[in-house]
Amino acid sequence: MNTKNKKKYYITTPIYYPSGAWHIGHCYTTVACDAIARFKRMQGYEVFYLTGTDEHGQKILKNATEKGITPIEFVNPLVENIKELWSVLDISYDGFIRTTDEFHKKAVQNIFTRLYEKGDIYKSVYKGKYCAPCETFLTETQLKDGNCPDCNREVNDAEEEAYFFRLSKYGEQIKKHLSETDFLVPKARANEMIKFIEAGLEDLAVTRTSFDWGVKVPFDEKHVIYVWIDALSNYITALGHFGKENGECSVMCEPRDKKTNNNTTLHSPLSTLQFWPADLHMMAKEITRFHAIIWPAILLSLELSLPKQIYSHGWILFDGGKMSKSVGNVVDPFILSERYSADALRYFLLSELSYGQDSNYSSEQFLTKVNSDLVNDLGNLTKRTLSMVKQYFKGKVKIGKETEHCKDFIEKVNALNGQVDEKIKDNDVAKAISTIFSLISHSNKYIDLTAPWALNKEGKFDLLSSVLFNLLEAIRVSSTLLKPFLTKTPSRIFEAIKIKEPTDFKKALHNPKGSYNVGTNEAVMLFPRLDIKKELEELASLAE
């Protein structure tokens, strides 16, 4: 594949901390990034989509010690489990990085040495507050009601020899960037970060000596490089930056499942280096400060370009509180995917979390949305249309006579691509998918408005053929644009309407068909209707 002249797009999730069962709170960022990555691929971009795991730190050492095993023995099964989850959810990542990867550890040591040699890292003693769950040193002014500003938990007094990074040196430069650009969105998050800087930015402790599970400082091995220089650097070490000879190492790129119709993409270290700067870092709001202040400061010190944009999304709330392993209110994505399909879970996650806002999860809300949108709207539209094409024309229709209703409808179909593209450019995945479903809903209303059964009774077969043709066009276009969001269902629809599954938007959306021959087989049922009361009882029993 010749990618020399292709536009490049680099998108990342945060790297996830393997400390227990994975839940749908972890899934949102990964599924949203996957939808954007797939969308960009279908627009013709060469995409590099990175995810992974953050495996060092005091919490992991503590958990492993309590179980009587080594830290790597503790994290390995959890890493395999999250890879299995991403497979279940059909996540098309190009690279999966672990902070325990040898190439990453060597690159982090090179980065630390570079920062030290520049004079931006120095040795001193840390004395202040420490949040163990977040593994974060904090000053008194950073506390919120005496607690950690990120997780709201209690903090402890700490005193320890440490190397410090001159974060304060870059405060004004980062503040200016946050103020004058769309570097961090939504804008309300940028304003929060600006206020945080204005409150006083102090230098950052970046090593620990009280435990040894992590990357050692190469010139002072009693010190372990602290979590944020280690973890945040993954976005560049995965591409080969600061590897031996600056590019020898790059993250292993894993082939994708051929059944998903995604081309296997393998990148050489040389090509992956060229993906920086990242087009989009996406993460939940509680780690925004580290990405929007600490990470830019590290990059400025390294004299590397800043990411083009950071998107900080809200939380999925359960019974009014943040979904969290420590609270014990997690929802098992394996169960939801197996019982209702990965597409059903992907759809709920992508459509429910509004841009920058928190969203609630309840099993009843999930099941109701599956019935209303996937069964009633998408499923019903496909089944009704195919049934009428087979009943009235033995499966064959073409463009015929049109009314004003038909012209208005086709204009809506033709406008869909541009509307969805605008929402993706804004990282508003919920609005993008709801725009597609607006056309699907409108298509069902178009059936009621044109009344094909009446046209058949009146013998207006030319107009009837045109109406049904327009409906198939709406199904084809909406299914094409749904491919990045629902990865299995569109394939079934293309098979049902007897067309080749599209692999890019340009060819599919700018070459309308002149006729359809869908055959006379029984119409496909995309999603079974759910008995919500029965399913709620079943889910409750599974959770026990």
Side-chain angles (χ1 to χ4, degrees), residues 396-400 462 465-466 469 514-516:
K396 298 178 182 180
V397 291
K398 60 182 179 179
I399 298 174
D462 197 32
S465 178
S466 187
F469 172 85
S515 64
Y516 284 89

Side-chain angles (χ1 to χ4, degrees), residues 150 284-286 313-317 322 353 357-360:
D150 298 310
K285 60 185 180 182
E286 75 271 15
H313 63 74
W315 290 334
I316 296 177
L317 304 177
K322 181 193 172 190
L353 201 61
Q357 304 298 311
D358 294 339
S359 178
N360 289 299

Side-chain angles (χ1 to χ4, degrees), residues 347-348 351-352 365-374:
Y347 177 70
F348 179 83
S351 61
E352 277 298 300
Q365 185 180 358
F366 169 75
L367 297 169
T368 300
K369 197 165 186 66
V370 170
N371 267 354
S372 64
D373 295 4
L374 299 180

Side-chain angles (χ1 to χ4, degrees), residues 328-347:
N329 60 357
V330 301
V331 177
D332 192 332
F334 285 103
I335 291 175
L336 295 179
S337 297
E338 181 179 0
R339 191 166 182 86
Y340 307 108
S341 81
D343 271 3
L345 180 53
R346 285 177 67 107
Y347 177 70

Side-chain angles (χ1 to χ4, degrees), residues 112-132:
F112 193 93
T113 300
R114 179 77 63 89
L115 297 173
Y116 179 77
E117 290 174 346
K118 187 172 182 178
D120 279 349
I121 282 181
Y122 60 92
K123 185 187 281 190
S124 186
V125 175
Y126 175 81
K127 188 174 182 179
K129 301 296 182 181
Y130 178 70
C131 174

Side-chain angles (χ1 to χ4, degrees), residues 22 46 66 97 143 215 221 230 351 493 527:
W22 306 107
E46 184 185 1
E66 288 173 352
I97 188 169
L143 300 181
V215 181
E221 290 203 349
D230 177 13
S351 61
I493 294 173
F527 295 91

Side-chain angles (χ1 to χ4, degrees), residues 529-541:
R529 184 170 300 282
L530 302 174
D531 182 328
I532 293 178
K533 182 180 179 182
K534 180 181 176 182
E535 292 301 321
L536 286 172
E537 291 172 352
E538 185 66 24
L539 286 174
S541 68

